[in-house]
Amino acid sequence: MGKLLEMTAVLTGLPGTGDFARGVHPPERKTLAQDAAIEVMPPPAQVVIPLLQHTGAPCEPVVKVKDEVKLGDKIGDATGFISAPVHASINGSVLMPSVTTLPNGRHVKTIPIKAGPDQLAGDALKSEVLGGNWPTSGLERFAPDQIATAARDAGLVGLGGAAFPTHVKLVRNEKRPVDTLLVNGCECEPYLTSDYRLMLEFPGPVVTGALLAAQAAGAKQIVVAIEDNKPAAADAMRKAAEGTAVKIAVVHTKYPMGGERQVIPAVLKREVPTGGLPLDVGVVVINVATAAALARAVVRGKALTHRVVTVTGAGIARPKNVLVPVGISYQELIDFCGGLTPDAARVIAGGPMMGFTVADLKVPVTKGTSGVTVLTHADLARVDETACVRCGRCVDVCPLHLVPTKLALASKVEDWDLAKKYHLLACCECGCCAYTCPAAIPLVQLMRKGKAQMPR
Amino acid sequence: MTDEAKKEEQQAPKAEAAAPVLHVAPGPHAFSTSLTTRRMMFDVLLALVPVFAASLWQFRLYTVIQLVICMVSALLAETLFTAMRKKPILIRDGSALVTGAILAFSLPAKAPWYVGAVGSFVAIGIGKVIFGGLGQNIFNPAMLGRAFVMIAFPAFLGATAYVVPDAAIDGLSRATPLTTLKQLGQNTGLLPLFLGTTNGSLGETSALACLLGGAYLCLRRTASWEIPAGIVSAVAAIAGLMQWLAPVAGWTVLHELFSGALLFGAFYIATDPVTSPLTPRGKFVFGLGVGALVMLIRKLSGYPEGVMFAVLIMNAVVPLINQWTIPTPVGGVVLEKKS
């Protein structure tokens, strides 16, 4: 069982080594769901669409109660440049708006939609979202700003988890030209396999989306980065990308390879400045699922209404990769996968390293939900927190070369001079330090608190 | 209330109990279980096994007696002092045992029982608990305890205290290699130094045992290799320089490295994570400092050996080293926002 196949980094024609300094190797646990082909969920009776599913300003509703809406209709419009509209993910009628608290702690307004009688379902839905033919030539007919506008109108956000509005990255900036589009298929979070299944089963839309994104951003070079624990996905992508400008880079399997600040040096040997963006080094990074959604938005004119979610972990009866409408509840999704096992202890939105725990299974799945990981008491068994013995293990694993124990201490005692001296704001909260800490100190939590409290 | 409603109410809690209770906690939700603080302490004890074996061979029962005295005293001291601070007593973490063992191995075989006992109480009480317990102390507790007894009982820890003329054990009747070098200009062979058939503190005589245990500690990364690397580099460089400028017949760099408490100190004492710097670079600098001070004390002071004082002095410099070696984050330093 274990690993799929041993492979090594392959980066033909690229300056990177396929690796970055430090980081950790948590158990991958991808075998739980990696062989489960993407399934389509039966249409739900209701969806609840949050008006804020992205990083940025929340949407304003553009529908009223009792309005009839169709799949893909805009129901909330973006209110600023860094914002993304939201759309109906089923056919139905609008119910009373309400509020919900998302797993990341944000309290947001929602628009519930009650399902109507006829719905696009099953294979028809799957083929509309991901299947069919995806052109790799003749894409010049889409002008760069046309692609960016389509991304914005489709409500496209980063599907890797951070949910940053995609059109912001694709709009050309004369002052900061882009030369490389990096499509992120690393999926370094343990357990999660949604990007893997997408690349394996539907590499077509990923390649088309990559070509379109590069055209929009003005990038000459297009690279898809895939960790070497997913050789089947790399092969499928290589085949689909044949004859196009898209290159496949196989990088080492190491957490957090999927982070922008790790994958860019690993592939391109460029360092993103602290506090800056990949754009500062001429790179735009989008996730493979985002690329596929961009292809659907531009070529088929469809909004981002569905996504692939991995439902996995020892606390789930039947781990699966599921194509779900945005706004479905965690409860329904978990029930579709056989429900929780009796020893389930923690439901996580995302993977175990950077995911947030879900307190209420009635909350909706959003655009940024890449997975639902359910851990058991056995997974979470751990020694109690003890004093820091300054062993420096956190320093040895921090991919950004910070000193987490000092940052945690500074945050704890609210010593902001010390926090600044040790570069608290550079922390990306990847969790390598807390994963490693022999004293079980909640380093990430402390630093997160410090970042929120520190006067800027 | 109807009967049916009552029934439902009775059943409701049952149904809830059947569903798993979900917990909420901050991430990450995965953690490495390969290392805990307790495991680190037991790693040190495990790494001391070759040292114990070499010491048992050379000093026989004296080793066992000193170990028992120091480890039991350390546990007692830990219990007593933490109880006085009204803090939970955490002797299960094994840190007191490590302090006791390191102290025992740094004492001469014939030191009276109260030397080890007083040393342990000072090590734990003044060296550690007063600062706030595990992880808070500035100075290496075992070395602080040893420094205290060395000054309090100079007769039992000075160079002459190591020599027991009428001892049944052969090794004990001779002066330590560094003393013979300093006072008589006599050399000790490399092989006895390597194997540990010389006189000295209980744990320091065998270079081989220290290298074996030290390799284990470094491979487990319980000890950071940067520290012994720094110490050995500094000692080798200075000894090499001295050998070139003012050669002593038969005394080489290897003699300098294998004699005294150098390797024991490099692998087991200076590597105490609490009292050494945090970053790899800082650790190497710390090692260089310890090594340089050892050579300074060995060559220019009245003492034949200087590992203890070198470690204690460098402990005091650790906060400074940490300041000097704040690593630059990947991507450079965050620029202050212009407001």
Side-chain angles (χ1 to χ4, degrees):
Chain A
M1 309 298 278
K3 284 189 176 174
L4 291 160
L5 234 172
E6 284 297 337
M7 235 169 110
T8 42
V10 183
L11 296 104
T12 321
L14 292 162
T17 61
D19 204 359
F20 63 92
R22 311 191 187 181
V24 294
H25 293 280
E28 292 168 21
R29 305 258 198 272
K30 301 225 185 223
T31 45
L32 284 166
Q34 76 189 11
D35 298 325
I38 297 172
E39 281 181 56
V40 184
M41 249 190 97
Q46 182 188 319
V47 291
V48 177
I49 314 277
L51 286 169
L52 178 63
Q53 303 185 33
H54 49 263
T55 308
C59 294
E60 281 300 323
V62 293
V63 288
K64 296 185 303 292
V65 178
K66 287 184 182 166
D67 276 2
E68 289 294 317
V69 289
K70 289 240 167 315
L71 170 69
D73 282 355
K74 195 193 283 180
I75 59 171
D77 204 359
T79 52
F81 179 59
I82 301 183
S83 183
V86 294
H87 301 81
S89 57
I90 53 171
N91 301 326
S93 54
V94 175
L95 298 175
M96 245 341 224
S98 66
V99 286
T100 189
T101 305
L102 295 178
N104 64 12
R106 295 196 77 157
H107 204 53
V108 297
K109 284 187 192 152
T110 61
I111 298 179
I113 300 169
K114 189 170 181 251
D118 41 280
Q119 300 287 352
L120 190 61
D123 286 345
L125 177 68
K126 195 170 175 179
S127 106
E128 193 271 304
V129 177
L130 297 165
N133 287 322
W134 296 95
T136 53
S137 57
L139 296 172
E140 299 77 29
R141 69 178 190 271
F142 301 106
D145 52 337
Q146 194 187 342
I147 298 169
T149 310
R152 184 190 159 102
D153 292 344
L156 222 60
V157 302
L159 299 184
F164 187 79
T166 305
H167 68 269
V168 180
K169 294 185 187 176
L170 298 183
V171 172
R172 283 206 196 181
N173 183 337
E174 294 304 324
K175 283 182 203 146
R176 283 187 286 185
V178 169
D179 62 65
T180 304
L181 176 84
L182 195 54
V183 184
N184 196 342
C186 293
E187 200 164 50
C188 62
E189 268 281 355
Y191 288 92
L192 303 189
T193 53
S194 59
D195 289 350
Y196 169 70
R197 288 309 308 185
L198 178 71
M199 290 187 283
L200 188 66
E201 295 179 54
F202 302 102
V206 179
V207 172
T208 304
L211 292 167
L212 287 167
Q215 201 169 310
K220 294 275 169 301
Q221 180 170 247
I222 310 170
V223 186
V224 183
I226 303 169
E227 282 189 344
D228 61 5
N229 62 351
K230 305 173 193 61
D235 284 345
M237 286 297 297
R238 223 173 263 128
K239 214 167 278 170
E242 230 160 64
T244 72
V246 177
K247 281 188 238 176
I248 311 297
V250 178
V251 294
H252 285 290
T253 302
K254 192 204 253 183
Y255 181 85
M257 182 59 87
E260 288 179 342
R261 277 159 207 284
Q262 284 71 46
V263 74
I264 294 175
V267 175
L268 300 169
K269 221 174 188 171
R270 295 182 202 172
E271 231 174 65
V272 181
T274 304
L277 293 169
L279 196 58
D280 296 329
V281 290
V283 184
V284 166
V285 183
I286 62 169
N287 174 268
V288 283
T290 315
L294 179 68
R296 183 176 173 228
V298 176
V299 177
R300 297 186 179 169
K302 300 287 183 186
L304 174 59
T305 54
H306 288 74
R307 69 155 301 147
V308 182
V309 178
T310 304
V311 185
T312 183
I316 278 284
R318 286 192 296 280
K320 286 178 182 178
N321 298 289
V322 195
L323 182 68
V324 300
V326 167
I328 196 169
S329 74
Y330 279 80
Q331 185 68 62
E332 278 173 277
L333 185 53
I334 287 168
D335 288 345
F336 180 66
C337 299
L340 300 175
T341 59
D343 56 345
R346 225 179 259 184
V347 176
I348 299 157
M353 294 301 286
M354 286 189 83
F356 295 96
T357 41
V358 179
D360 177 3
L361 295 182
K362 287 197 279 294
V363 298
V365 166
T366 63
K367 295 173 187 175
T369 310
S370 50
V372 178
T373 309
V374 185
L375 300 179
T376 62
H377 290 284
D379 292 328
L380 296 164
R382 193 181 195 189
V383 294
D384 291 335
E385 183 182 339
T386 53
C388 173
V389 294
R390 302 185 224 171
C391 64
R393 290 278 177 131
C394 52
V395 182
D396 295 343
V397 297
C398 179
L400 292 174
H401 300 194
L402 304 174
V403 186
T405 176
K406 280 276 181 194
L407 295 175
L409 176 75
S411 302
K412 198 174 190 171
V413 302
E414 301 183 8
D415 181 345
W416 307 128
D417 286 338
L418 186 67
K420 268 190 194 127
K421 205 185 278 171
Y422 279 90
H423 319 297
L424 177 61
L425 293 180
C427 169
C428 66
E429 302 174 20
C430 66
C432 288
C433 52
Y435 168 81
T436 309
C437 181
I441 298 169
L443 293 161
V444 175
Q445 176 66 1
L446 287 166
M447 287 188 280
R448 211 179 270 150
K449 177 188 106 100
K451 280 162 80 176
Q453 285 183 328
M454 184 166 153
R456 306 278 174 110
Chain B
M1 200 185 276
T2 64
D3 281 352
E4 263 180 34
K6 259 185 200 167
K7 225 184 205 173
E8 254 180 46
E9 203 180 59
Q10 279 166 354
Q11 277 172 349
K14 244 187 220 167
E16 248 172 53
V21 178
L22 298 179
H23 298 257
V24 179
H29 311 282
F31 9 79
S32 165
T33 47
S34 72
L35 195 78
T36 61
T37 309
R38 191 155 175 256
R39 176 68 209 267
M40 284 176 86
M41 298 300 169
F42 283 90
D43 263 351
V44 179
L45 292 179
L46 202 60
L48 281 168
V49 168
V51 172
F52 175 72
S55 182
L56 199 64
W57 179 40
Q58 176 69 355
F59 300 106
R60 309 298 153 103
L61 266 182
Y62 288 118
T63 305
V64 180
I65 294 165
Q66 287 294 8
L67 269 176
V68 170
I69 291 169
C70 289
M71 287 168 89
V72 169
S73 309
L75 287 178
L76 280 175
E78 175 92 17
T79 313
L80 180 73
F81 286 108
T82 40
M84 278 163 68
R85 280 190 71 227
K86 299 189 173 60
K87 296 278 175 193
I89 295 160
L90 296 165
I91 51 171
R92 282 190 70 242
D93 67 17
S95 65
L97 285 178
V98 170
T99 303
I102 300 281
L103 178 65
F105 280 125
S106 66
L107 293 177
K110 282 282 270 183
W113 67 270
Y114 50 85
V115 169
V118 170
S120 298
F121 267 72
V122 171
I124 300 289
I126 296 173
K128 188 172 84 177
V129 181
I130 272 188
F131 287 97
L134 182 65
Q136 303 301 317
N137 47 301
I138 296 167
F139 297 103
N140 184 307
M143 289 304 100
L144 199 80
R146 188 180 191 273
F148 184 88
V149 289
M150 185 162 176
I151 293 160
F153 311 108
F156 299 128
L157 277 104
T160 47
Y162 284 87
V163 188
V164 186
D166 54 349
I169 298 167
D170 186 40
L172 275 173
S173 57
R174 281 171 283 146
T176 65
L178 283 173
T179 308
T180 50
L181 176 76
K182 190 151 211 161
Q183 295 177 346
L184 311 167
Q186 284 172 6
N187 296 329
T188 311
L190 212 48
L191 193 67
L193 286 174
F194 186 66
L195 294 176
T197 54
T198 58
N199 199 355
S201 297
L202 289 170
E204 71 178 30
T205 54
S206 171
L208 174 66
C210 293
L211 287 171
L212 281 176
Y216 170 77
L217 281 180
C218 291
L219 285 176
R220 286 275 307 159
R221 273 205 66 80
T222 294
S224 307
W225 63 267
E226 290 89 347
I227 296 173
I231 295 176
V232 169
S233 318
V235 170
I238 296 170
L241 196 68
M242 289 179 67
Q243 202 183 349
W244 182 55
L245 293 173
V248 175
W251 190 260
T252 66
V253 173
L254 276 181
H255 285 82
E256 205 70 67
L257 290 173
F258 288 172
S259 61
L262 193 91
L263 289 180
F264 184 72
F267 286 110
Y268 297 95
I269 301 173
T271 53
D272 170 24
V274 177
T275 55
S276 58
L278 281 166
T279 63
R281 207 152 54 99
K283 285 168 180 172
F284 188 73
V285 171
F286 173 81
L288 287 179
V290 172
L293 283 173
V294 167
M295 289 308 284
L296 195 73
I297 296 167
R298 278 186 181 179
K299 300 301 168 191
L300 297 177
S301 80
Y303 290 110
E305 175 59 310
V307 170
M308 176 185 78
F309 285 122
V311 169
L312 286 172
I313 292 167
M314 286 311 290
N315 284 164
V317 188
V318 164
L320 269 180
I321 297 178
N322 277 338
Q323 289 268 325
W324 295 332
T325 56
I326 296 175
T328 309
V330 172
V333 173
V334 194
L335 295 172
E336 287 286 327
K337 268 186 198 156
K338 284 169 207 147
S339 50

